[in-house]
Amino acid sequence: MNSPSVPVDSPAPSAWEELVTAALLGTERRTPPGCPPGREAPVALLDAAAVETVRRRAGLRPARAADRPQPAPEDARPALPPAAARRLAMLLADRPGAGGGGRRGTAPDLVELLPEWLARANDRGLAPPPEVLPALLDAARGRTDLRPAALTFAGPRAVWLARLNPDWRFALRATPGGGAALPHLDDPAKVRQLWQEGLFAERVALLSAIRAREPEAARELLVTTWATERAEDRLMFLDSLRMGLGPQDEPFLEQALADRSRNVRATAAELLSALPGSALAGRMAVRAGACVALDHTGDGPTITVEAPHECDAGMERDGVVAKAPAGRGERSWWFGQLVESTPLGTWTRRLGGRTPEEIVAFPVTDDWQAELHAAWCRAAVRQRDAEWARALLGSPSAPEAGGPGAVSLAERAKLLGTLSSGERAEWVAGFIATHGLSEAFQLLGVCTVPWSAPLGRAVVDALNIARDAGSYPWSFSGVMGLAERCLDPAEASRLDGLLAVPDEPEDASPGAGGYWAEAFQRLVTTLRLRAAMIEELGTPGA
């Protein structure tokens, strides 16, 4: 296609985009770079494109050869059993939504089984086959919830690979210190050198490691550079003191209440309020106590509330945020912050030595009950007070699903987190037996996996009742998905009676019976698959 009658200048290396634009618009509207206009412009454009293509393919300048990467570190953990390695490859090969929209059918959702598989493999201290690491890192890149377990399972080679592939750099950020080895904590000179000279991630990892072993030594190390740290770094370092928090941290946290950063001050105040014996907790108790009283003039004791009329400088110094969010009254906003930062034992002493159950049962005047009880809920969660949590949760079989103290299911879920796993499961099972599944999804999310036998039976019985009532099965898809992942696999044989297509009531949703049969079949199939996964991984510690 060369045209010797039309000279073609060699376009500049940056002209490729101009050539593409001319080709898209046409040479009549855009003259190609280095080409004269006219009838021969299209041929000139092709010639210029050919020359530029050769230049782009062959014009790489020679450079110094890069250093070879260091060999991948050894992984001393025992290798996966062959059957477990094959199962992992299957789980990693699955992709969300691969089956398209609409009905899921009876096939298990393999990608949703990865978290449990990784947790069990980590419990057994097993190492992955090297060839699955890229797929494992790709899966963790797409799902942040997988990252902690996936990186633990991948081991030291995850960091080695992340340094070679920018797509996996999250592994460097998620691994304390970017995978760098911390100095021995018994070597004070190296510890101090890393603390003073290390990268931020390395310093956070170092402080956390020392805090887990010697809380006071970690705090003393932080004090040495506190005044020179950036505000955002001070906030992160201060947050590390949650581990091992105790009365010995109070003097340092009191000083942090005067920090120039509002976020640092708020975090220091929150930590101090979690120490019932702290001076800040005492100051908050005085302020909150002045707002709450017990009135005996009526038919029975009633709690009265007189919220603060201003947020003074002392309150702000102790962490009270003066500006209320949109839609909140200032007085109720200030009042809630005072109560949630007050030691819960204050109310027993102030309200006649009564128990938390008795206090929560008192009526509250002037529509202050929701605000007061919500603040008590936050205080119970912050102070990890199981007795107050039980009082605020109330009986799971109470007619009102809202409970005596919690004003939302999210708050109830947080309160349940202060109880033991067994008590938590028992309470949620009782709630489901009384109120069904429509309000139980958030509560199930805080229960330990696998679910206890009573909780599992309560969920399955509630699903069966919903099926027999002809309810829309897709309304329960979230709970069914949780059941697939959280029921004890040993329950599979007990569910065989639910696999048949049920007779549909006259007012049932058309086709609901078939959907329910598919859902229960998928549940049973998934449980049996999980049982096989567990067996393939072997016995922990074996």
Side-chain angles (χ1 to χ4, degrees), residues 437-438 440-441 444 451 459 463 475-484:
L437 291 168
S438 59
F441 187 80
L444 286 168
W451 291 335
V459 171
L463 287 170
S475 300
F476 297 89
S477 59
V479 174
M480 188 66 81
L482 271 180
E484 292 170 17

Side-chain angles (χ1 to χ4, degrees), residues 425-445:
E426 182 182 359
W427 195 96
V428 176
F431 182 90
I432 292 171
T434 302
H435 303 288
L437 291 168
S438 59
E439 299 186 51
F441 187 80
Q442 282 183 292
L443 306 181
L444 286 168

Side-chain angles (χ1 to χ4, degrees), residues 103 473-474 504 508-516:
R103 295 169 73 153
W474 40 92
E504 296 181 3
S509 174
Y515 273 97
W516 277 111

